[in-house]
Amino acid sequence: MASGFHNLAAVFSHRNYAITSVGYGPALVGLWAQRIGVGWLAWNLTHSPTWLGLIAAADLVPTIILSPIAGAIIDRVHPLRMTLIGQTATALQSITLWLLTAFGVIDVYILFGLAVLLGINNPFTTSARMNILPLLVTPMDFPTAIAVNSMLFNLARILGPTFAGTLIAASGVDIVFLLNGLAQVGFLVTNMMLRLPRTAAGARRSKGGLVSEVREGFVYAWHHPGIGPLLTLMVLTAVTSRPTVDMLPGFADRVFERGAQGLGWLGSAIGVGGVGGAIWLSQRGGIAGLTRVIVMNAFIVGAALVGFALVQNFWVALAFLAVAGFSMVVSGAGTQTLLQSSVDNALRGRVMALFSLLYRGMPAAGSLFMGMAAEVIGLEATVATA
């Protein structure tokens, strides 16, 4: 336990990491709150599980198409430059969503379009953040930094839905979008305060064009004895388990009849488990035996979600979601740690873009199919089958 707290103190002793974490936390809370708000707004505009899936797909499908290109670009340019551009776009999207909702001119098609715009931006911001992280800490503190980022992410998964549910019930969904816009502006400011070497871009440049660089990343990842199998497992878990998060508005309203507050509880339950998983990883330290841990927790996620889909008691369902959240984080953050620790630095952007593609993009396909299936066989049967 003492060594685990020493790991945490060491990672926050780095000025750049400490500064970016100050803005990263609130920005994540805002993004999770907005995600819940968008889902709730889409549900109230349509009362359709299919539209829930479409909105989720609009946000994430561009990741499938653009992530390889974003990775190749990140290997060419300084990741801080891409971070600043992408964060500006994220803030503008949130503020636009707030204005349209506050003035009552939003409809599901505009909501869909704004989700697409955010989805186009996400591959570039995500790739930039993944490639800037090794520049913020020493290699020794790198595994702990990844675990701490996961902890912040999952704390936001708790706080974001909770705030969103409370604010929607008290003041309407538009205030959720406004607060997220302010949080994104704050994160932009903290990124502008970073002091990084000017030569922090990719270690080398390919002699070919962008297409050949994208192909080089795919070939490298596919033939690597560790990276290839890890990404294959990521496909399976991303398509079958992670889309459950996008079905939660339907569960809150139709299955458990708990409304916006119930939606906040469901999202927070996953976050509570995720925080536990991130804390466990940060205390664990090192990468020895991590492959076995990743595979075991991938199985636990599936079992927990079957339990969630089949129980009728709301509080028991929350417990199953918490277990699923714990194992999702252990498996996902563990995979990122192994990838970041083993990848050739010259191809880091492209390989981590593939990770982002699978981690964020593949659930979009799952969400779309699960939403359509739920129209026919119901939410519970769809999630249990997946």
Side-chain angles (χ1 to χ4, degrees):
M1 181 67 70
S3 62
F5 285 117
H6 173 75
N7 294 339
L8 292 174
V11 78
F12 280 105
S13 69
H14 299 283
R15 174 192 178 275
N16 286 326
Y17 186 83
I19 288 176
T20 193
S21 295
V22 169
Y24 188 49
L28 285 173
V29 172
L31 284 174
W32 269 106
Q34 176 168 301
R35 184 175 183 179
I36 295 295
V38 166
W40 187 250
L41 181 58
W43 179 259
N44 277 277
L45 289 171
T46 66
H47 292 281
S48 167
T50 297
W51 268 110
L52 289 180
L54 285 171
I55 293 294
D59 181 24
L60 296 175
V61 163
T63 300
I64 300 175
I65 301 171
L66 296 176
S67 283
I69 297 173
I73 293 175
I74 286 295
D75 280 335
R76 290 181 171 190
V77 303
H78 200 295
L80 181 57
R81 181 185 305 174
M82 187 66 73
T83 297
L84 296 176
I85 295 172
Q87 190 57 36
T88 300
T90 301
L92 289 175
Q93 190 267 0
S94 301
I95 293 171
T96 301
L97 181 58
W98 163 60
L99 289 172
L100 293 176
T101 305
F103 284 96
V105 296
I106 194 76
D107 61 31
V108 73
Y109 300 102
I110 296 175
L111 189 65
F112 181 83
L114 288 173
V116 170
L117 291 177
L118 187 63
I120 291 172
N121 184 53
N122 277 336
F124 298 94
T125 56
T126 301
S127 294
R129 282 197 295 269
M130 287 185 176
N131 282 268
I132 209 172
L133 184 57
L135 305 178
L136 304 179
V137 297
T138 61
M140 181 180 299
D141 294 325
F142 190 52
T144 302
I146 294 175
V148 171
N149 272 20
S150 293
M151 182 166 57
L152 292 174
F153 179 87
N154 287 281
L155 279 172
R157 183 181 278 179
I158 298 171
L159 298 176
T162 302
F163 287 158
T166 302
L167 290 171
I168 290 171
S171 305
V173 71
D174 57 307
I175 192 66
V176 174
F177 304 144
L178 171 61
L179 293 178
N180 179 51
L182 296 176
Q184 301 312 316
V185 171
F187 189 34
L188 175 63
V189 172
T190 59
N191 278 303
M192 294 173 65
M193 297 170 62
L194 297 179
R195 300 174 188 166
L196 298 176
R198 292 180 176 273
T199 58
R204 66 179 178 86
R205 299 179 186 272
S206 173
K207 295 181 180 179
L210 193 63
V211 174
S212 65
E213 290 184 7
V214 170
R215 180 181 179 277
E216 182 183 14
F218 274 104
V219 171
Y220 171 83
W222 179 255
H223 290 287
H224 193 285
I227 292 175
L230 279 174
L231 294 180
T232 301
L233 178 62
M234 182 66 69
V235 171
L236 177 63
T237 57
V239 172
T240 58
S241 62
R242 290 178 57 81
T244 300
V245 176
D246 296 309
M247 299 296 108
L248 292 183
F251 274 92
D253 186 47
R254 182 173 295 176
V255 177
F256 298 113
E257 299 180 349
R258 296 272 178 160
Q261 290 284 1
L263 177 59
W265 276 98
L266 292 172
S268 297
I270 296 179
V272 167
V275 170
I279 292 174
W280 183 80
L281 274 179
S282 66
Q283 300 294 316
R284 183 179 185 275
I287 62 174
L290 196 53
T291 301
R292 181 180 302 172
V293 170
I294 291 169
V295 174
M296 179 180 66
N297 279 275
F299 280 104
I300 293 174
V301 170
L305 290 179
V306 170
F308 165 72
L310 297 182
V311 300
Q312 298 298 312
N313 185 283
F314 181 70
W315 304 106
V316 176
L318 292 180
F320 275 117
L321 280 183
V323 172
F326 181 99
S327 293
M328 280 182 187
V329 167
V330 170
S331 182
T335 297
Q336 185 182 164
T337 299
L338 286 182
L339 292 179
Q340 291 268 35
S341 300
S342 60
V343 67
D344 184 334
N345 190 57
L347 292 107
R348 184 180 302 276
R350 281 161 281 181
V351 170
M352 296 315 299
L354 287 177
F355 170 84
S356 176
L357 184 156
L358 300 177
Y359 195 76
R360 288 185 52 82
M362 287 294 102
S367 295
L368 181 58
F369 290 127
M370 286 177 67
M372 296 173 66
E375 295 276 12
V376 179
I377 64 175
L379 288 163
E380 303 99 311
T382 298
V383 170
T385 302

